[in-house]
Amino acid sequence: AQKITQTQPGMFVQEKEAVTLDCTYDTSDPSYGLFWYKQPSSGEMIFLIYQGSYDQQNATEGRYSLNFQKARKSANLVISASQLGDSAMYFCAMDYGQNFVFGPGTRLSVLP
Amino acid sequence: DAMVIQNPRYQVTQFGKPVTLSCSQTLNHNVMYWYQQKSSQAPKLLFHYYDKDFNNEADTPDNFQSRRPNTSFCFLDIRSPGLGDAAMYLCATSTPAEGDGNQPQHFGDGTRLSIL
């Protein structure tokens, strides 16, 4: 069965510093997609970045980049130059076929 | 802007009183999903529609039903809400990707359901 692991229940980072949120996954499917979502305290789920299993390059979107290591089955999210507004829950998710599975999430707190 | 809209944002119902949550989309996506998310937990998929085809997760209680009368609308019906059904309910949409790609799910803002 497909599974996502996020080993950091909570993380703290100083404003303007970079932070890495860990994500490992388990699947036997050769084709899958990996996504990161941000969920502020208001509850909406905001799509941040996507990495396809066949993509050769690591995905980047503004301050977000994905450190994809396929052999190790990891897809860590790197946030550069953290801002106070980055404080939120972050979920790693995997798409296989029509289904999504979410990791348990990491709560990021950015300190002024 | 194209989007996923959930109404209402907050819903209060009484124990055992049926309640319906609604979701609409202007993205014209084939697939619509309903998730239940309890406090400090990941969203849990309840079911999804691929066009008119309904796909129920094995562990979704019978108390939860869904309807999709057309491409744009999808409803979540809770027939007899219990205290354990208090949660945030998220609707999402996606569309099949071309080739080997994948598409993200686009989420609504959610409906927070409280049970009295």
Side-chain angles (χ1 to χ4, degrees), chain A residues 31-33 35 37 39 41-45 47 50 52-54 89 91 95 98-100 102-104 107, chain B residues 9 33 35 37 40-43 45 48 50 55 57 88 90 100-109 112:
Chain A
S31 178
Y32 52 89
F35 302 83
Y37 285 85
Q39 188 176 41
S41 56
S42 49
E44 68 270 29
M45 196 73 81
F47 166 66
Y50 157 76
S53 58
Y54 295 114
M89 280 292 286
F91 290 100
D95 172 8
Q98 297 172 24
N99 295 319
F100 248 50
F102 283 86
R107 184 172 298 279
Chain B
R9 190 74 195 271
Y33 306 79
Y35 290 87
Q37 187 180 24
S40 300
Q41 295 183 20
L45 182 64
H48 74 276
Y50 191 120
N55 298 272
E57 293 298 299
M88 172 76 90
L90 294 164
D100 293 327
N102 301 79
Q103 293 291 332
Q105 293 191 2
H106 299 265
F107 284 81
D109 289 345
R112 195 174 295 277

Side-chain angles (χ1 to χ4, degrees), chain B residues 49-87:
Chain B
Y49 276 93
Y50 191 120
D51 293 326
K52 291 184 179 296
D53 293 333
F54 178 69
N55 298 272
N56 198 28
E57 293 298 299
D59 56 354
T60 298
D62 293 340
N63 199 24
F64 291 86
Q65 303 286 319
S66 187
R67 297 171 282 133
R68 189 179 186 187
N70 54 52
T71 300
S72 300
F73 286 88
C74 195
F75 299 98
L76 169 63
D77 301 309
I78 308 176
R79 294 193 294 191
S80 181
L83 296 178
D85 297 329

Side-chain angles (χ1 to χ4, degrees), chain A residues 63-109:
Chain A
R63 294 186 299 112
Y64 304 108
S65 60
L66 207 151
N67 183 3
F68 181 46
Q69 299 187 41
K70 191 171 182 177
R72 299 176 66 177
K73 293 189 175 179
S74 75
N76 299 338
L77 176 70
V78 180
I79 305 175
S80 63
S82 298
Q83 301 172 356
L84 295 177
D86 293 335
S87 294
M89 280 292 286
Y90 288 81
F91 290 100
C92 179
M94 179 166 61
D95 172 8
Y96 56 103
Q98 297 172 24
N99 295 319
F100 248 50
V101 61
F102 283 86
T106 295
R107 184 172 298 279
L108 177 67
S109 299

Side-chain angles (χ1 to χ4, degrees), chain B residues 7-22:
Chain B
N7 284 309
R9 190 74 195 271
Y10 299 91
Q11 175 75 55
V12 180
T13 192
Q14 289 180 321
F15 182 94
K17 184 174 182 180
V19 65
T20 295
L21 309 182
S22 73

